[in-house]
């Protein structure tokens, strides 16, 4: 899930060590110190002056747009002051900052958080529970994607926040590379067999051009790109009780074998050790196809790349994709006035009118299905061709990437297995069996 602007670096990879360390702090210090917080207001007074702290996780254009919305809300609610800052030098570091704030009983009221942190944050017992709020008719909770709603309610218990960013991966194709090889462009009804055939036709040794680009860093970028293959084959990431890995299955072997054959037999896949080079090569007309998301479109526009976008190829008509929503998580500072206004502001921020001036304005997908036909989104989709296809592709995000404690270790084990196999090291069945052992250990440890 690489990104620019308001989007983020891959979940995993560079931040994996920090994620594990911070998660351990969350699990220990939050529970140990939960009773040490100073109590604030215990009776709601909506006219009392309230000071909120918000960590945005944003920079540059997105931060400025968000600050404008904060200023507008403050003007409309004179008793509310919102002190907003990025919260850390990078979004990756926010979890560690949150852990420190729990220890010091000085948590923000609202923070941008990666979806992969959701279960850890719920387990910290420092979040608000918004189940009653999201059930209110005027919230229109069902307008958010299923993946976003499930991420906000990671274990089926508390709703810990509102969706902040939604995305999915689609098939992007470089029209110049296709034209050069005299290959017909992808269509929405493509199968993976069609995809493999085209990738072989696009690959050219003399010009060092590849049909497809894929990360073999072993990070979450490697991992999450495989989940649609697994799901389309009928497989699952976790067992039904969510306690064990389930990717070591005939479906998992079929999914990994398909990409292994493209990489090892066809030699039509550029294997990227960095998570970022394959997108750059796509932009410079040296890779014909990548699977990526809306964060890529601004870079393509800047590079002047000629491209198209369709939904992922399918298996027996199943075109499932994967989504990695992030959240505005709300924290409990034992003050009913702060909780009330933090909730009210976040409801307001994620409503259609405001979201069109934030997510849509910076080139993200709209949070809500009701925005898909809005003038603001149509205008942005015209500026960023393919954004409308990605929005429609949200309907293919039918399953939720897990946020259970231990997912990061599962991702690492699975990603490393995929990376080795695609580089010709080992066979899919053995690699997945070994990865499942490591993944189960990570799930047990949480």
């Amino acid at each position: 899930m690489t990104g620019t602007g308001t989007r983020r670096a891959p979940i995993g990879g560079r931040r994996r060590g920090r994620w594990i360390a911070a998660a351990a702090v969350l699990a220990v210090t939050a529970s140990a110190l939960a009773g040490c917080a100073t109590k604030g207001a215990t009776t709601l007074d909506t006219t009392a002056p309230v000071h909120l702290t918000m960590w945005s996780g944003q920079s540059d254009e997105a931060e400025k747009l968000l600050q404008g919305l904060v200023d507008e809300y403050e003007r409309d609610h004179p008793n509310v002051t919102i002190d907003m800052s990025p919260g850390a030098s990078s979004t990756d570091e926010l979890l560690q900052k949150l852990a420190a704030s729990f220890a010091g009983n000085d948590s923000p009221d609202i923070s941008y958080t990666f979806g992969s942190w959701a279960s850890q944050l719920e387990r910290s017992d420092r979040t608000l529970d918004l189940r009653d709020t999201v059930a209110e008719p005027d919230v229109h909770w069902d307008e958010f994607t299923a993946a976003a709603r499930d991420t906000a309610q990671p274990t089926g218990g508390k709703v810990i926040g509102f969706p902040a960013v939604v995305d999915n991966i689609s098939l992007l194709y470089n029209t110049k590379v296709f034209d050069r090889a005299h290959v017909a462009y992808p269509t929405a009804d493509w199968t993976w067999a069609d995809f493999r055939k085209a990738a072989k036709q696009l690959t050219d040794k003399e010009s060092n051009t590849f049909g497809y680009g894929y990360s073999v860093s072993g990070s979450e970028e490697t991992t999450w790109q495989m989940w649609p293959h697994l799901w389309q084959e009928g497989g699952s990431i976790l067992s039904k009780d969510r306690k064990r890995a389930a990717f070591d299955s005939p479906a998992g072997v079929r999914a990994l074998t398909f990409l292994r054959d493209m990489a090892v037999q066809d030699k039509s896949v550029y294997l990227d050790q960095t998570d970022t080079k394959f997108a750059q090569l796509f932009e410079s007309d040296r890779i014909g196809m990548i699977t990526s998301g809306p964060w890529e479109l601004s870079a393509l526009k800047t590079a002047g790349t000629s491209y198209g976008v369709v939904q992922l190829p399918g298996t027996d008509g199943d075109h499932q994709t994967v989504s990695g929503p992030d959240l505005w998580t709300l924290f409990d500072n034992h003050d009913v006035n702060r909780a009330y206004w933090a909730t009210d502001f976040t409801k307001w921020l994620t409503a259609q009118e405001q979201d069109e001036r934030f997510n849509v304005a910076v080139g993200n997908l709209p949070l809500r299905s009701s925005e898909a036909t809005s003038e603001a989104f149509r205008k942005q989709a015209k500026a960023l061709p393919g954004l409308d296809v990605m929005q429609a592709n949200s309907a293919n995000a039918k399953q939720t990437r897990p946020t259970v404690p231990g997912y990061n270790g599962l991702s690492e084990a699975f990603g490393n297995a995929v990376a080795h196999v695609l580089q010709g090291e080992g066979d899919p069945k053995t690699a997945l069996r070994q990865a499942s052992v490591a993944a189960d250990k990570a799930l047990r440890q949480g």
Side-chain angles (χ1 to χ4, degrees), residues 93-111:
E93 297 172 0
L94 280 177
L95 187 63
Q96 198 164 10
K97 286 287 296 290
L98 286 168
S101 77
F102 295 165
N105 288 302
D106 188 25
S107 305
D109 298 279
I110 307 162
S111 181

Side-chain angles (χ1 to χ4, degrees), residues 78-137:
N79 63 311
V80 179
T81 302
I82 302 175
D83 180 13
M84 189 185 76
S85 69
S89 57
S90 72
T91 312
D92 305 73
E93 297 172 0
L94 280 177
L95 187 63
Q96 198 164 10
K97 286 287 296 290
L98 286 168
S101 77
F102 295 165
N105 288 302
D106 188 25
S107 305
D109 298 279
I110 307 162
S111 181
Y112 187 95
T113 61
F114 289 121
S116 60
W117 303 343
S119 290
Q120 295 288 347
L121 291 170
E122 182 186 7
R123 193 166 65 169
S124 75
D125 202 30
R126 298 301 292 265
T127 65
L128 294 178
D129 184 358
L130 306 178
R131 276 178 287 188
D132 290 342
T133 299
V134 302
E136 296 170 2

Side-chain angles (χ1 to χ4, degrees), residues 60-270:
D60 304 328
E61 178 191 3
E63 178 80 359
K64 292 177 183 177
L65 287 172
L66 198 56
Q67 185 63 59
L69 291 168
V70 167
D71 294 343
E72 179 180 331
Y73 186 85
E74 289 179 331
R75 287 194 297 271
D76 292 341
H77 303 85
N79 63 311
V80 179
T81 302
I82 302 175
D83 180 13
M84 189 185 76
S85 69
S89 57
S90 72
T91 312
D92 305 73
E93 297 172 0
L94 280 177
L95 187 63
Q96 198 164 10
K97 286 287 296 290
L98 286 168
S101 77
F102 295 165
N105 288 302
D106 188 25
S107 305
D109 298 279
I110 307 162
S111 181
Y112 187 95
T113 61
F114 289 121
S116 60
W117 303 343
S119 290
Q120 295 288 347
L121 291 170
E122 182 186 7
R123 193 166 65 169
S124 75
D125 202 30
R126 298 301 292 265
T127 65
L128 294 178
D129 184 358
L130 306 178
R131 276 178 287 188
D132 290 342
T133 299
V134 302
E136 296 170 2
D138 64 338
V139 173
H140 301 293
W141 188 241
D142 61 345
E143 290 187 353
F144 297 108
T145 65
R149 297 195 305 267
D150 289 347
T151 301
Q153 193 174 22
T155 65
K158 281 185 177 181
V159 174
I160 66 172
F162 279 78
V165 170
V166 296
D167 59 17
N168 62 72
I169 58 173
S170 304
L171 177 62
L172 283 69
Y173 59 94
N174 184 306
T175 59
K176 186 173 181 179
V177 176
F178 271 78
D179 291 344
R180 198 163 59 209
H182 306 289
V183 177
Y185 297 159
T187 63
D189 60 356
W190 253 24
T191 66
W192 289 106
D194 296 324
F195 172 83
R196 181 180 179 181
K197 179 181 177 181
K200 289 175 68 175
Q201 294 171 326
L202 297 171
T203 300
D204 179 59
K205 275 189 176 182
E206 288 188 11
S207 62
N208 202 27
T209 300
F210 290 85
Y212 182 48
Y214 196 93
S215 164
V216 289
S217 68
S219 73
E220 176 66 9
E221 179 68 20
T222 304
T223 295
W224 90 312
Q225 292 272 357
M226 274 295 299
W227 294 146
H229 292 272
L230 176 69
W231 289 333
Q232 289 187 23
E233 289 287 350
S236 300
I237 300 172
L238 295 175
S239 60
K240 289 184 178 181
D241 62 7
R242 299 169 66 85
K243 294 182 179 180
R244 293 176 290 107
F247 55 72
D248 177 20
S249 64
V253 172
R254 289 194 300 271
L256 184 51
T257 298
F258 173 78
L259 280 184
R260 189 277 311 270
D261 290 349
M262 285 186 64
V264 177
Q265 295 180 10
D266 303 347
K267 301 189 185 303
S268 61
V269 184
Y270 176 81

